[in-house]
Amino acid sequence: MPKYVVGAILVVLVIFSSIFVTIVGGSTYMAEIPQSDLGKHHEEIWAHTGWNIHDPFMTGADAPTPASRGKTVFIREGCWWCHTLLPEQTQDWTYFGDPPEAGDVQGESPSLFGSDRKAPDLLHIGSRNRVKAWHYVHHRNPRAVTPGSIMPAFEYLSDEDMDALVAFLESLK
Amino acid sequence: MSFWTKNDYAEGTAAKHFFFSAIVMLVIGTLLAIITSFRLAWPDIMPNDIPWLHFGRVRPVHVHFVIFGWIFMAFAGAMCYITPALCKTKLWSERLGVWNCWAWNVGMVVVFITLINGLTTGREYQDLIWPVDIYVLLFILLPLAVNVWMTMLNRRTEGLYVTLWFFGAAALFIILTYFIGAIPDFFPVTGLSEAYMTWWHAHNVLGLWITPVSAAIAYYIIPKISGNTLYSHKIGHLHFWSIVAFYSTPGAHHLMGAPIPEWLKSFASVSGVLIMIPALAFVVNMLMTMKDKWWMFTRNISLQWALTGVLFAIPLNIQGAFQQTRTLNWYIHGTHWIVAHAHLALLGFSTFIEIGAIYYGLPKLLKRKLYSTKLARIHFWMTAIGFLGFWISLTGGGLVQGAAKVYEIPYIESVIATHPYMVGRAIFGLLIIFAQPLFLYNMVMTARKGERVEDDAPALQPAPATA
């Protein structure tokens, strides 16, 4: 066998094993992380008890809790394109609260960390803002309570959707 | 087999279908960006009681039309045109190509209807729900790969030119990447594992499909048009293998702030910096190929587009290599800087090369001359100036957001501070958006009224150097 064939096989093996390690190794490692209490708490509200991506046609009406139904609205309306659920390892810690721990998002799908933040992080919105009426006004007319906001005014959301969405925000402690 | 290979369609039919569909997708995709960019600058500029006009609904549709519609179909067109040319043979099945193209367009309609109505997985770049994932894999990606591979197997040349390595490999990579990325849609993979797979997919659609195929197209058209041979096949080898080695693993660098294992972040970050190797190899190879032919840069419209795309790869890869290291990532992650970087990759680098390829290939396929070079130049300058202004606005806005992280000001202050940058982005964006219908018009007129080229031969010629 010519030398370059051996070399090529070695290169392919190294490349594919490194891909394998990062996908499978990374995933199994993360799946074994024990959950913190906070994570267990989250799983009760979200996770498999609520909307999940395996059932995309579910409208959320069948979801067992208002909060899990609210997550459906949060995903459907694309709130997560601006609002992250990931306080990062920067000054975020003091402003948006603690970043999630390794087990906190276990059972979540989608995890909704977000990538493109154009609005406040919401992972701890339930603790930061407890005024229910504020949330209702804010969603219908954001600029009435926050001048300068660029959030869309969700005039078309039904009352049921709005109740669910606020319940979801309140669950994010 | 004979059903597929029976010659009902003229040579080049599939490529023509793909190129025209791609241009239509580009026009639609950029028009949708009016809604997203204007909404961020002036949130109440459109009626608020129509859900289909809201940012959160339109953003994923815009992303899918410009990536899955425009870029992917332009790639498919280029593959159906360049692969037979370099193999000195016909496309394995024009019929499969044409059907693939129509399946693709039907797929885009499904994508539009599902996403605009909020039927989404909530996973970035894997937004399509699982039935659509199956459709994409079986009727969009697989037939294209089969067509490319079968054409390569039936080639009449001995060696394979650089472009073909990339086409053959990328057709496999995109199927694998898409499947692995869709796993959490089918199986109960949740939490950090789901987030990791989402970003592994998102990064590798770029790394193993968009970047290599864009480069492969440049590897064909730049030597072809300039008449020079490729500067170095060895550098081409380096480019190919280093892209496979380093560009397939850095997905976790999108999660530097998330609680994934630290070793995974370090691994991703280091391989992310090593992406400089394929990137520089590619840029050097292309620029050196232009040796003594730089006068053509301003004379030949296709080269003008393609080389501008290659030049955009320089800032793109310097950003890409270093912005994902821990040192910089905390400052710019999640800001408009990243949106600017994404547009530099997809609009600056990739789209410019593909438009160059279409200005070169489509008139050849139609056996006509380009209808209007002047219009093509207006298209170029509107897109280039629009893009530069757009990119500078967004990058500036991103730096303001980064600074706002440091100074702990209330978040709303950073939203107000970035308003001028959002206005700049929307206005410069309009230049890009209004330029694309000119492209479509020019190409439709080329098909209808372009001056006929009698000599049929040039349509299917191999690149000057086949290794």
Side-chain angles (χ1 to χ4, degrees), chain A residues 9 12 111 121-122 132 151 156:
Chain A
I9 292 172
V12 170
S111 51
D121 189 276
L122 294 182
K132 219 170 180 169
M151 183 165 130
Y156 59 89

Side-chain angles (χ1 to χ4, degrees), chain B residues 209-230:
Chain B
W209 172 248
I210 294 178
T211 313
V213 179
S214 306
I217 295 170
Y219 270 116
Y220 177 76
I221 60 170
I222 289 176
K224 182 82 183 159
I225 301 173
S226 69
N228 281 350
T229 48
L230 181 64

Side-chain angles (χ1 to χ4, degrees), chain A residues 46-66:
Chain A
W46 298 349
H48 300 303
T49 56
W51 182 84
N52 68 71
I53 56 179
H54 307 296
D55 195 1
F57 298 106
M58 192 164 121
T59 55
D62 318 317
T65 65

Side-chain angles (χ1 to χ4, degrees), chain B residues 322-342:
Chain B
F322 296 111
Q323 72 188 13
Q324 44 87 35
T325 58
R326 283 168 218 256
T327 326
L328 295 181
N329 189 264
W330 70 274
Y331 193 77
I332 46 113
H333 182 74
T335 66
H336 292 303
W337 170 292
I338 303 297
V339 184
H341 173 75

Side-chain angles (χ1 to χ4, degrees), chain A residues 13-31:
Chain A
L13 277 180
V14 169
I15 289 166
F16 279 91
S17 51
S18 60
I19 296 173
F20 183 80
V21 166
T22 49
I23 299 173
V24 180
S27 301
T28 41
Y29 178 90
M30 286 184 276

